[in-house]
Amino acid sequence: MKLARRALLAAALTLPAVGALAAPLVMGFSQVGAESEWRTANTASIKAAAKAAGITLKFADAQQKQENQVKALRSFIAQKVDVIAFSPVVESGWDTVLKEAQKARIPVILTDRAVKVSDPSLYATFIGSDFVEEGRKAARWLLERAARTPNAALNIVELQGTVGSAPAIDRKKGFEEVIQANPRLQIIRSQSGEFTRAKGKEVMESFLKQRDKKIDVLYAHNDDMAIGAIQAIEEAGLKPGVDIAIISIDGVRGAFEAMKAGKLNVTVECNPLLGPQLMALARDVVAKKPVARRVTVEEGVFPAEVAARELPKRKY
Ligand code: AHR
């Protein structure tokens, strides 16, 4: 009897005290919005990965407004979450709120989009695509295509993403950097379509109404704007993908369907499935393990010729 009691006592001493049992990690996540197919896939990936990792996710949708993101970040700080992650709507204007998070000793992870801040220690790491490279890939495809018609000038119209956002700034920069190599390629109009189908269509309609120059190429900073523009082109009595070559970015299922139908010429992949890597990073950051400052994602380029073969394999 005495022996049994001793054994029970020994077992009890090896158990952690009630308060010391590990509580689930809590992440506050501020999402840009629900502006595109890409974003929907990104949100689904983050929610599923948090669940699979046993991380409690406090999710806030900013509806494409920086002020909503700042409010969400402040609320996460007030709730004393373990880690904050966010995909910033725009690049600048984050110093103050990130300093507040730092003061509260809550680490911050950037996902998808980068920020411009005065002090790099204001965030722990950034996981996302290389948007400049995506712009370069889009332009390299065009350079190759332009080589087939060596003497023709090609007029390009550009549908930019959200003004001030990292993907809009970087995709423009990368594209322009590469097309400079060929003076026959000129961007004749460029305007924001805010990464949405509706705005992409509206801006393309206005480009098509200005009849001073023929449009040969559309470069859209995402697939949704390209899909909206395809509608505008068809309504104007032209053949998208034939009368106007169309290049876009993301590689969502809708783009593959448009390529299969011969209406889109190429999509440059931007992978939204960042959830699992984000959750792993969050655990390491909270445990104060060293993490890379910049985590990039492997991505490809898909021209229309491979669309039918690739479509069944697409995960988003
Ligand atoms: O930040 C990634 C971009 O945001 C995607 O390319 C676009 O579709 C989304 O809205």
Side-chain angles (χ1 to χ4, degrees):
M1 189 64 180
K2 262 188 188 170
L3 267 179
R5 215 184 281 156
R6 251 186 238 147
L8 271 176
L9 190 64
L13 287 174
T14 58
L15 285 174
V18 174
L21 279 174
L25 193 145
V26 179
M27 172 188 282
F29 186 89
S30 169
Q31 180 61 289
V32 168
E35 73 284 3
S36 61
E37 252 189 79
W38 188 99
R39 190 64 57 196
T40 307
N42 181 245
T43 295
S45 168
I46 286 159
K47 287 185 174 170
K51 203 169 172 201
I55 291 178
T56 303
L57 187 70
K58 291 178 182 285
F59 184 90
D61 177 338
Q63 299 177 344
Q64 293 245 64
K65 291 200 177 81
Q66 182 175 34
E67 70 216 61
N68 291 346
Q69 284 202 300
V70 171
K71 268 190 215 150
L73 263 49
R74 289 203 166 119
S75 133
F76 296 148
I77 297 169
Q79 293 174 64
K80 298 186 171 45
V81 298
D82 298 306
V83 57
I84 290 174
F86 79 116
S87 174
V89 178
V90 290
E91 259 189 356
S92 357
W94 299 105
D95 280 80
T96 308
V97 71
L98 291 184
K99 277 180 191 156
E100 291 166 24
Q102 194 173 57
K103 205 170 156 216
R105 295 179 190 281
I106 300 176
V108 173
I109 301 177
L110 303 177
T111 79
D112 164 36
R113 299 182 180 180
V115 294
K116 281 213 168 93
V117 279
S118 55
D119 172 4
S121 79
L122 289 175
Y123 63 90
T125 175
F126 164 41
I127 171 173
S129 306
D130 181 341
F131 297 136
V132 179
E133 187 54 24
E134 289 171 353
R136 289 191 195 112
K137 286 177 182 168
R140 283 188 205 118
W141 179 88
L142 182 58
L143 278 189
E144 274 182 32
R145 189 182 164 103
R148 293 192 213 154
T149 49
N151 300 315
L154 293 178
N155 291 333
I156 305 164
V157 294
E158 179 183 34
L159 281 172
Q160 293 185 41
T162 306
V163 176
S165 69
I169 296 166
D170 293 352
R171 287 173 184 168
K172 182 169 186 53
K173 187 173 162 209
F175 188 82
E176 285 179 345
E177 186 189 299
V178 172
I179 62 162
Q180 267 172 23
N182 187 339
R184 292 190 294 115
L185 305 179
Q186 291 296 331
I187 298 180
I188 56 162
R189 297 187 218 299
S190 180
Q191 201 179 313
S192 172
E194 293 165 13
F195 280 131
T196 67
R197 282 185 194 201
K199 195 74 187 171
K201 180 169 188 264
E202 185 188 312
V203 176
M204 190 67 203
E205 278 165 357
S206 82
F207 285 164
L208 288 162
K209 275 183 195 140
Q210 301 165 48
R211 296 192 172 270
D212 54 333
K213 285 180 183 160
K214 181 176 173 284
I215 300 171
D216 301 298
V217 179
L218 162 66
Y219 168 45
H221 288 191
N222 82 343
D223 291 337
D224 282 76
M225 291 189 294
I227 291 166
I230 285 171
Q231 277 183 38
I233 295 168
E234 285 180 323
E235 285 170 18
L238 296 168
K239 279 194 173 158
V242 179
D243 296 326
I244 299 178
I246 307 178
I247 308 167
S248 69
I249 298 182
D250 275 354
V252 297
R253 207 179 285 279
F256 279 77
E257 277 155 6
M259 286 195 289
K260 239 182 107 181
K263 298 178 181 185
L264 177 73
N265 301 81
V266 64
T267 185
V268 173
E269 190 178 33
C270 178
N271 188 350
L273 308 179
L274 305 177
Q277 272 173 294
L278 170 63
M279 298 309 148
L281 275 174
R283 286 217 179 276
D284 286 351
V285 165
V286 171
K288 298 200 167 35
K289 289 188 187 159
V291 292
R293 278 291 292 170
R294 175 77 170 96
V295 181
T296 46
V297 198
E298 286 282 307
E299 288 156 347
V301 176
F302 297 94
E305 294 75 16
V306 302
R309 191 186 73 210
E310 292 296 322
L311 182 57
K313 299 186 216 158
R314 298 306 290 168
K315 293 203 181 80
Y316 57 93

